[in-house]
Amino acid sequence: MKNVFIGLLIVAAGTGVFFLLRNKKEPAAGNEINKEWIVGKWKVDAGKDSVFNQYRYDFQKDGNILRSLSDSAKADTSFYEWNKKDELVWKEKQNDSTTSVFSVIKLTPDSLQIRSKDSATILFTRLK
């Protein structure tokens, strides 16, 4: 009975390691991100009743960000760029010296998760 129990523990541990390694999503070359994946239309995923869910963000190749309400054709424009640390720098005006700097936690073709300097985390999901 003791041998069967030890055998089951070994099988369970092996299975756990297998699934852990199989689902590992970090790139092998380090923490490099594919910056081109940011281009496209996104929405903020901030919970069911959040006002932020109504906004749509269109990140464009030229560094423009068009922000609009989901039911409006009118859009506000802001700007983004990447700094040397691969952080996302968000500006209200293109030549603005006042910026918001975000660390990119995750950037995939379907999701963007960023963190501000005060540790607020924002999750964007791509619109289809």
Side-chain angles (χ1 to χ4, degrees):
M1 183 71 171
K2 191 188 273 187
N3 290 339
V4 172
F5 182 73
I6 291 172
L8 287 174
L9 283 176
I10 291 172
V11 169
T15 304
V17 169
F18 170 76
F19 282 109
L20 181 67
L21 293 176
R22 185 172 151 220
N23 291 332
K24 187 175 180 183
K25 296 186 179 194
E26 290 183 29
N31 291 334
E32 295 180 22
I33 56 174
N34 188 343
K35 295 175 186 172
E36 290 81 30
W37 283 345
I38 200 169
V39 175
K41 296 181 180 182
W42 301 85
K43 67 176 182 168
V44 174
D45 190 3
K48 286 184 178 180
D49 299 327
S50 178
V51 151
F52 294 108
N53 289 345
Q54 298 176 10
Y55 285 100
R56 303 296 181 249
Y57 296 84
D58 185 2
F59 288 82
Q60 300 178 338
K61 284 184 182 182
D62 60 1
N64 288 328
I65 304 170
L66 303 177
R67 185 184 79 160
S68 61
L69 285 170
S70 59
D71 60 352
S72 174
K74 185 179 177 185
D76 295 329
T77 303
S78 52
F79 304 90
Y80 76 95
E81 62 186 27
W82 298 97
N83 67 14
K84 292 179 182 178
K85 297 179 183 178
D86 286 337
E87 294 172 318
L88 184 66
V89 180
W90 197 307
K91 303 176 182 183
E92 291 302 314
K93 296 182 180 167
Q94 195 164 17
N95 297 326
D96 205 351
S97 61
T98 306
T99 62
S100 298
V101 180
F102 297 93
S103 300
V104 177
I105 299 169
K106 177 177 156 182
L107 176 56
T108 66
D110 295 325
S111 67
L112 166 64
Q113 188 173 16
I114 57 177
R115 181 178 294 137
S116 67
K117 295 297 180 188
D118 64 354
S119 298
T121 301
I122 304 167
L123 176 63
F124 292 87
T125 54
R126 186 172 303 274
L127 291 171
K128 306 237 178 203

